[in-house]
Amino acid sequence: MNLEPESTQLIRNLFHEYEFIDCAQELANDKKIDVIIPVLHSNDLWRENLISFYREIPINRLIIGDAGCIDDTISIVEKFPRVQIIDHTEISTLGASIADLISRVTTTKFAYLQSDVYLPKGWFMAMESKSQTFPWVGSPMQVVTMLDYSVDYSGKRPLAGAQLGQTSIFNGLGSFIADDYVYRQEDFVLEEFVRRSGFATGNSFETFHFHQVMRRKTRGMEMNVENISVKLVESKKETDRVSNTQLSGFLKYCDPHLPEVRSAAYAAYQEQKGGSFNRFKRALNFARDNNKAWKSMIVRFALKLLVVRTLLFSSRVILRLTDVILRIR
């Protein structure tokens, strides 16, 4: 789905108070399908997501794999019809949980959903149509980023976006700025004007404002988003565990001949802890024991990483030497 830059309809849909519609209610059993969802936790839109599932999918049973939920996920889903809660607290891996849930499916087709997914209108109709050609079908991801976090601009730029001050100190501002050079930096320019007028600027850390980063109608530029990056504060132990399990999963279960698999596996390989040789040795031994098709690819990964790091080191050396020469001159 290619949205126009000014479209915000999908985001509004997420927070709309919808009436509960059970689209399977009037259908014959052979038209219904089971839906599986493994859960340890959900998010604040879990109820709205569930409403979208029942509106779109003719649900025979909603089979929930409860890994020992740490929030109110189960108490919310239990209020919906035809829900079956499976105790997965004794299952220690997501793979085993998914496999167990699928083994419980009794319908010809089923849907595997994640808890943080919202289905737009028409989802099931489109997916069902495509499933006539392919036995397993996926739908593209339309990302909605909803995180509130503080940004510390102290010492970097004035705190702008929601400001308050005395009107009189801006007398004569019209003769100071009349062009468009203040675009996206009016905080700097206004603060400079205040200082030149002999006044002081300050910041209030007793409150804050919400800055909304979202699509909007504009001109002179497109609001299409290519990428959003959110850097989470994670312990090294957790990041190591994630990269290790990801690489192991690729090497054990996936085909190294697929470009998208190779790319993702190489990214996980780069994140492996330890020196270059230890990283290479561990991955090679794992491939030898679990999926020999990856052995030659691991060698290529090691050589590629060596070349990249050599070039990076060389460029840093050149930049440092250039800086030293410029200083001498």
Side-chain angles (χ1 to χ4, degrees), residues 109 122-134 137:
K109 295 180 181 180
W123 182 88
F124 182 76
M125 185 179 299
M127 295 291 283
E128 169 65 15
S129 174
K130 190 64 69 171
S131 72
Q132 304 302 319
T133 304
F134 300 97
V137 182

Side-chain angles (χ1 to χ4, degrees), residues 21 61 113 218 227 260 325:
I21 298 175
R61 288 180 302 156
L113 302 175
T218 184
N227 181 53
E260 62 273 23
I325 292 172

